[in-house]
Amino acid sequence: MTADSDRHAMKMAKKKAARDKIMATKTDEKGLVMINTGKGKGKSSAAFGMIFRCIAHDMKCAVVQFIKGGMSTGERDLILGKFSDTCSFHTMGEGFTWETQDRDRDIEMAQAAWEKAKELIRDESHKMVLLDEINIALRYDYIDVNEVMTFLTEEKPHMTHVVLTGRNAKDELIEIADLVTEMELVKHPFRSGIKAQIGVEY
Amino acid sequence: MTADSDRHAMKMAKKKAARDKIMATKTDEKGLVMINTGKGKGKSSAAFGMIFRCIAHDMKCAVVQFIKGGMSTGERDLILGKFSDTCSFHTMGEGFTWETQDRDRDIEMAQAAWEKAKELIRDESHKMVLLDEINIALRYDYIDVNEVMTFLTEEKPHMTHVVLTGRNAKDELIEIADLVTEMELVKHPFRSGIKAQIGVEY
């Protein structure tokens, strides 16, 4: 070994010891409330990554899609086609709200999605429930944020993970969440005239 | 319709018109260089979401794992088990660098991974290549960032998407990327003693 790689080995050994010490204090398990928010890409995709992890471990899970268009139809078709035994899929939205232009119907849809979400979460056979784009429904007050907060803190089974996605997560929800990630947009190709492309956006 | 829902419909119609006008200007297609970076969760998961989209659309793709532990073994097993015809998987890393403590071997591994990455990207049958955790190898200078930049700007086939993940993306790479997302950590359950859990972290 050179002196350089020797120094490197010492530095890395220290890092490993520090990391091991921290990890040893992390012993609890519980169902997490997780939020993916922000203006960047990947909020739904990262949540789907967790759904695919559950599927890989044969953990029963469910997805409620509050607004159509949040997730890729590709991902949905893959789950419906190959993994419907492990993951159930509930599409309640009818397109983005600026597509439908009918507030009363939007509210009805969002409420129906929330009722379905509660039913799925209450069923303890589900290890993870993804509420995709629920933040948009909350932002437009189609669903009452206080009701969602109360349900997640008081009624959610202790070991069930719930993932909530969408821009503009409400502060009240961030307050009660265990893990919050903000996807920040640093650079986007739409700015230079590139259109949405297969495999990337849908 | 009530006056309230009438106002809502008008507002949404305006939004839709504005959005449609913007989208009409987005007409180009090209292979994108995409970076998921930041200290938050979801960098690899969101990239995997795109890989699953490609798989769903039957677009050939490939994953090179530069550092073991970046992605979930669950996701890897799912791809290897079910979709190996569409997506090839190349694990070159041997564990996080602070686990191995051998800089010379780490450099060798990273270089081998980069050679494999170039080979996969040059093969135009691949529509997307994910270089998972390459940013860590670049940060430790196991791979030369200038070589990666030159390759991506000069040799990458025009229509191939390349996704690079990992913390601390180098500025030079951000400069040449088309889409950059920073996953920012707002709140993390490790802080309150919760350990890594199946389905969530792996």
Side-chain angles (χ1 to χ4, degrees):
Chain A
M1 262 194 189
T2 63
D4 192 42
S5 59
D6 224 32
R7 266 195 306 278
H8 179 81
M10 271 178 61
K11 199 173 121 192
M12 289 300 161
K14 258 191 207 166
K15 276 204 184 192
K16 176 166 160 53
R19 193 184 132 94
D20 288 350
K21 201 172 155 186
I22 291 168
M23 295 314 284
T25 66
K26 314 303 178 194
T27 50
D28 282 1
E29 281 195 324
K30 71 165 194 168
L32 303 176
V33 173
M34 295 178 268
I35 299 178
N36 290 351
T37 190
K39 291 184 179 170
K41 255 183 82 76
K43 296 181 287 292
S44 292
S45 289
F48 263 88
M50 285 193 286
I51 288 289
F52 281 116
R53 283 177 191 177
C54 289
I55 290 171
H57 296 300
D58 221 9
M59 291 160 68
K60 202 175 158 193
C61 50
V63 178
V64 182
Q65 188 173 17
F66 279 76
I67 308 276
K68 196 171 127 193
M71 72 194 52
S72 125
T73 51
E75 281 153 341
R76 193 183 55 195
D77 295 347
L78 197 65
I79 291 174
L80 287 174
K82 301 259 182 188
F83 308 114
S84 56
D85 286 354
T86 317
C87 183
S88 67
F89 212 100
H90 311 269
T91 302
M92 315 299 282
E94 282 263 316
F96 277 110
T97 48
W98 56 80
E99 302 277 345
T100 67
Q101 302 165 29
D102 181 344
R103 188 164 200 266
D104 298 337
R105 202 183 59 173
D106 287 347
I107 290 175
E108 208 176 288
M109 295 280 173
Q111 291 287 347
W114 173 237
E115 289 305 317
K116 174 54 79 178
K118 284 190 287 190
E119 181 194 318
L120 294 163
I121 295 167
R122 281 189 187 117
D123 172 355
E124 298 198 27
S125 70
H126 294 111
K127 303 308 174 201
M128 183 179 285
V129 179
L130 165 55
L131 310 182
D132 194 57
E133 300 288 2
I134 190 175
N135 289 337
I136 296 186
L138 287 163
R139 188 195 176 193
Y140 283 107
D141 293 320
Y142 293 170
I143 310 170
D144 178 20
V145 69
N146 292 309
E147 200 195 318
V148 176
M149 274 174 58
T150 307
F151 180 82
L152 291 176
T153 49
E154 292 174 16
E155 280 199 61
K156 180 184 83 61
H158 184 66
M159 291 307 294
T160 306
H161 303 295
V162 176
V163 191
L164 305 94
T165 73
R167 292 183 179 207
N168 302 105
K170 294 223 170 184
D171 291 342
E172 298 96 314
L173 269 189
I174 289 175
E175 195 56 44
I176 63 143
D178 299 291
L179 191 151
V180 180
T181 308
E182 170 123 1
M183 275 69 175
E184 209 184 307
L185 186 69
V186 180
K187 218 175 176 183
H188 200 290
F190 283 6
R191 288 191 187 150
S192 36
I194 304 295
K195 70 175 185 181
Q197 293 177 88
I198 188 166
V200 177
E201 308 280 348
Y202 61 94
Chain B
M1 263 196 191
T2 63
D4 192 41
S5 60
D6 223 33
R7 266 195 307 278
H8 179 81
M10 270 179 62
K11 200 174 120 193
M12 289 299 161
K14 257 192 206 166
K15 276 204 184 191
K16 176 165 159 53
R19 193 184 132 94
D20 288 350
K21 201 172 157 187
I22 291 168
M23 296 313 284
T25 67
K26 314 303 179 193
T27 50
D28 282 1
E29 281 195 325
K30 70 165 194 168
L32 303 176
V33 173
M34 296 177 268
I35 299 177
N36 289 351
T37 190
K39 290 182 179 170
K41 254 183 82 76
K43 297 181 286 291
S44 292
S45 288
F48 264 87
M50 284 193 287
I51 288 290
F52 281 116
R53 283 177 192 177
C54 289
I55 290 171
H57 295 301
D58 220 10
M59 291 160 68
K60 201 175 158 192
C61 50
V63 178
V64 182
Q65 187 173 19
F66 278 75
I67 308 276
K68 197 172 128 193
M71 73 194 54
S72 124
T73 50
E75 281 153 343
R76 192 182 54 195
D77 295 347
L78 197 65
I79 291 175
L80 287 174
K82 300 257 182 190
F83 308 113
S84 56
D85 286 353
T86 317
C87 182
S88 68
F89 213 99
H90 311 269
T91 303
M92 316 298 282
E94 283 262 315
F96 277 111
T97 48
W98 56 81
E99 302 277 346
T100 68
Q101 301 165 29
D102 182 343
R103 187 164 201 267
D104 298 337
R105 202 183 58 173
D106 287 348
I107 291 174
E108 209 175 287
M109 295 281 173
Q111 291 287 346
W114 173 237
E115 289 305 317
K116 175 53 80 178
K118 284 190 287 189
E119 183 194 318
L120 293 164
I121 295 168
R122 281 189 188 117
D123 172 355
E124 298 197 25
S125 69
H126 294 112
K127 304 307 175 201
M128 183 180 285
V129 179
L130 165 55
L131 310 182
D132 194 57
E133 299 289 3
I134 190 175
N135 289 337
I136 295 185
L138 286 164
R139 188 196 176 190
Y140 283 108
D141 293 320
Y142 293 169
I143 310 170
D144 178 19
V145 69
N146 292 308
E147 200 196 318
V148 176
M149 274 173 59
T150 307
F151 180 83
L152 291 176
T153 48
E154 293 175 15
E155 280 199 60
K156 181 184 84 59
H158 184 67
M159 291 307 295
T160 307
H161 302 296
V162 176
V163 191
L164 304 95
T165 73
R167 292 182 178 208
N168 301 106
K170 294 224 169 184
D171 291 343
E172 298 95 315
L173 270 188
I174 289 175
E175 194 56 45
I176 62 142
D178 298 292
L179 191 152
V180 180
T181 309
E182 171 123 2
M183 274 69 175
E184 209 184 308
L185 185 69
V186 180
K187 218 173 176 183
H188 201 290
F190 282 7
R191 288 191 188 150
S192 36
I194 304 295
K195 70 175 184 181
Q197 293 178 88
I198 189 167
V200 177
E201 307 281 348
Y202 59 93

